[in-house]
Amino acid sequence: VAEGYTVEDIHVSPEHITVAARSEVLDQMTDLALSEHYVDLKGLTETTSFQIKVSKPSEDAVLSNETITVTVEVEPDGTDREGN
């Protein structure tokens, strides 16, 4: 984040995604892949939400949500507010 700011909290919504697929796909699945592996926080000075696409484990799989929202809460770190 920008200098003088700090990350206060991170929220992911939804917290769970249901997958419907052939049993062979589900038996081998341990995680769902995301289109992006990180969220760029460079220069953030305010709370920001990011939409990230969830990749299907197979072409015929059905997901309860195809995107997740990652919300990063950013606040001044306190030194600027107190003049220190």
Side-chain angles (χ1 to χ4, degrees):
V1 295
E3 188 174 332
Y5 291 82
T6 187
V7 174
E8 289 294 316
D9 207 353
I10 299 173
H11 304 277
V12 177
S13 178
E15 292 184 17
H16 303 281
I17 295 176
T18 303
V19 179
R22 296 183 319 269
S23 61
E24 309 86 60
V25 173
L26 296 176
D27 290 343
Q28 294 180 3
M29 192 177 81
T30 57
D31 296 312
L32 287 173
L34 302 176
S35 62
E36 299 174 38
H37 298 297
Y38 67 92
V39 175
D40 187 3
L41 305 180
K42 186 176 181 180
L44 281 185
T45 59
E46 60 186 17
T47 297
T48 306
S49 293
F50 302 88
Q51 297 288 317
I52 300 176
K53 184 172 175 47
V54 179
S55 299
K56 292 181 177 182
S58 67
E59 192 163 311
D60 60 342
V62 177
L63 305 176
S64 60
N65 292 81
E66 293 191 11
T67 60
I68 61 170
T69 302
V70 177
T71 302
V72 180
E73 291 184 20
V74 176
E75 299 287 337
D77 66 10
T79 57
D80 291 342
R81 291 181 292 188
E82 297 172 11
N84 297 326

